[in-house]
Amino acid sequence: MKIKPLSSVALIAGFLSVCSPLLAHHGAAAYETSKPVMLKGAVVTKYSWINPHALIFFDIKDDKGNAQHWTTETGSPAAVSLLGWNRASLKPGDVITIYVWQSKTGQPVGRVNKVMLADGTLLRDSQTGGDRGERADDAVR
């Protein structure tokens, strides 16, 4: 009789230890979220509408006129589509103003805060797209 409860507990413990990594997700700890970096005149080189995060690749000229290659991520396509994004929101050659929470390492990578298109359309990120870094999709829920 004691074996059945013991094996049930062992089975549940084993299940939880195997499945707990599935619930884990990274946050914004890698990014400096005190103030977004505004990058005007960024030229989109690639836009990847992929899970788990859509990616925006772009070039921006530094103070010396050298091209700096950036990679940034947004929320998932499912999340940002609620805020107006789609797979055709950006295309190579588009000139944008992008607000980015830059990596704490100083590398040219980051999390998108918001993107201003040439026609004035504003696209916000789902997780950090509010003006103070808060969620931009709260009203959608």
Side-chain angles (χ1 to χ4, degrees):
M1 289 298 244
K2 290 183 180 182
I3 293 177
K4 191 172 184 176
L6 183 60
S7 63
S8 295
V9 169
L11 182 63
I12 290 171
F15 178 75
L16 291 175
S17 67
V18 170
C19 294
S20 63
L22 297 176
L23 302 175
H25 191 266
H26 63 91
Y31 306 117
E32 179 55 59
T33 57
S34 62
K35 185 177 179 190
V37 176
M38 181 183 75
L39 301 167
K40 260 185 150 172
V43 179
V44 176
T45 57
K46 184 177 179 183
Y47 175 55
S48 296
W49 186 253
I50 57 173
N51 277 315
H53 299 277
L55 300 174
I56 304 170
F57 302 86
F58 61 90
D59 290 342
I60 189 87
K61 294 204 180 197
D62 65 15
D63 297 336
K64 298 176 184 175
N66 300 317
Q68 203 176 41
H69 308 291
W70 278 75
T71 303
T72 57
E73 66 178 359
T74 69
S76 69
V80 296
S81 67
L82 296 172
L83 299 170
W85 294 78
N86 62 53
R87 70 177 58 254
S89 292
L90 298 170
K91 59 185 179 310
D94 284 351
V95 179
I96 59 174
T97 298
I98 186 166
Y99 297 78
V100 177
W101 305 108
Q102 187 173 7
S103 167
K104 288 180 179 176
T105 65
Q107 295 296 313
V109 297
R111 176 72 186 230
V112 171
N113 171 250
K114 57 189 170 187
V115 174
M116 178 76 71
L117 304 180
D119 67 1
T121 301
L122 185 64
L123 297 171
R124 294 180 178 271
D125 184 38
S126 57
Q127 291 274 327
T128 59
D131 289 327
R132 293 174 301 283
E134 76 277 16
R135 295 185 69 99
D137 62 354
D138 284 340
V140 178
R141 294 181 187 187

